[in-house]
Amino acid sequence: MSVLDREILALVRRATEEVILPHYRNLGEAQVEEKAPNDLVTAADRESEALLAEGLAKLNPGIAIVGEEAADADPGVMDRLAGPCWIIDPIDGTNNFANGRAPFGILIALAEDGIAQSGWIYDCLTGRFCAAHRGKGAFVGGDPIQARTTDETPPVAAISTVFLDISEREAIREHIAPHYRMVDIPRCAAEQYPRLALGENDVSVFNRALPWDHAAGALWLNEAGGMVARPDGAPYRVDEWERTGLIGAATPALWEELTERLRHIS
């Protein structure tokens, strides 16, 4: 584990122990708000982001910070994604967290020129720590990881329909579902990306592709030998945050197969 990985691990553990877990199953009604339909924020999200941002600023004072909650309060924060920046999801899976259930975690990425260079995924309840650095591989707890499939026939698909309209949901049910064993999504990218590399899921489709949700996970899965890309094959960029659609898979072949099926219904 690199020095930077150890520093990030210490920081996410601190946020978990000092802020997140003390609030877990202990939130008052006034501490949970709805930012948008199906999109919650809690007092713990804001406190965790403040702690993480302070810690990252100490690691490298010259790097801009893009936090989910800061960007929600001030959309101008998204302009920082074009340059060197830290990207923070202080609690990924807030809906789960706010309802007192797993999974939820912390996502941090370091990006430059719109491309994630490093990414970290931390499961607040299990302590699983995933790290990746561009061109240097992916790791779980400091050990190298190679993405593997479920070996199931048909393959296992976790496809989010939360932000799809009725016609899009019907198209998925009619044209995609018959070719896969469909499973529920965890509503937590910090869990979904590891599932795609650790033999639990084979493919996944994301509609929204916001940088705090996907910068770390997309880099990690690609470095593990899986594949994450836009439906047209373009690589994921954090500065294209308004663009929707992202496909992840345990192998490039599985990615190609699902993408081809999706092209026929688009």
Side-chain angles (χ1 to χ4, degrees):
M1 194 179 294
S2 70
V3 172
L4 180 57
D5 289 345
R6 293 183 187 280
E7 291 173 327
I8 296 295
L9 178 56
L11 182 60
V12 295
R13 280 177 172 167
R14 183 183 163 210
T16 298
E17 294 166 3
E18 295 184 13
V19 175
I20 297 173
L21 292 185
H23 280 297
Y24 185 45
R25 296 177 177 170
N26 194 35
L27 288 165
E29 186 176 338
Q31 294 178 303
V32 182
E33 302 172 27
E34 189 174 58
K35 294 190 290 188
N38 292 308
D39 194 3
L40 300 179
V41 62
T42 72
D45 290 85
R46 296 190 174 109
E47 292 173 25
S48 176
E49 183 165 303
L51 187 155
L52 293 167
E54 180 183 16
L56 293 172
K58 289 178 180 178
L59 287 180
N60 194 327
I63 301 293
I65 293 176
V66 179
E68 177 179 4
E69 307 315 329
D72 181 64
D74 176 12
V77 168
M78 303 298 277
D79 294 339
R80 301 172 188 171
L81 292 165
C85 63
W86 295 104
I87 302 170
I88 306 171
D89 192 334
I91 301 180
D92 181 64
T94 297
N95 283 54
N96 297 333
F97 176 79
N99 286 286
R101 61 174 182 262
F104 54 88
I106 297 172
L107 295 167
I108 296 175
L110 180 60
E112 187 169 358
D113 297 326
I115 300 292
Q117 302 299 319
S118 296
W120 300 271
I121 308 170
Y122 185 70
D123 186 308
C124 297
L125 292 177
T126 69
R128 181 183 60 205
F129 181 64
C130 303
H133 305 279
R134 185 163 297 278
K136 297 181 179 179
F139 304 84
V140 177
D143 296 323
I145 183 73
Q146 185 68 32
R148 63 181 186 271
T149 69
T150 65
D151 286 330
E152 290 193 28
T153 303
V156 179
I159 298 179
S160 173
T161 60
V162 173
F163 298 102
L164 299 181
D165 61 32
I166 294 175
S167 63
E168 290 171 324
R169 291 180 186 182
E170 286 302 319
I172 292 292
R173 291 190 186 99
E174 182 177 352
H175 299 287
I176 303 301
H179 304 285
Y180 297 90
R181 180 167 75 82
M182 304 290 284
V183 296
D184 290 337
I185 61 166
R187 294 207 67 179
C188 175
E191 172 65 17
Q192 186 59 59
Y193 278 106
R195 288 185 182 185
L196 287 168
L198 300 178
E200 295 182 53
N201 293 167
D202 290 302
V203 294
S204 192
V205 178
F206 308 94
N207 185 36
R208 295 200 310 174
L210 295 168
W212 39 79
D213 289 327
H214 297 284
L219 173 64
W220 182 81
L221 184 54
N222 279 326
E223 287 292 322
M227 184 168 178
V228 182
R230 299 291 188 175
D232 63 0
Y236 178 72
R237 294 182 57 90
V238 302
D239 54 357
E240 295 179 341
W241 58 274
E242 292 181 298
R243 188 176 177 185
T244 58
L246 194 62
I247 300 170
T251 68
L254 284 165
W255 187 94
E256 292 286 354
E257 180 183 344
L258 176 57
T259 303
E260 185 61 27
R261 295 188 190 283
L262 289 168
R263 287 194 185 109
H264 289 303
I265 64 172
S266 61

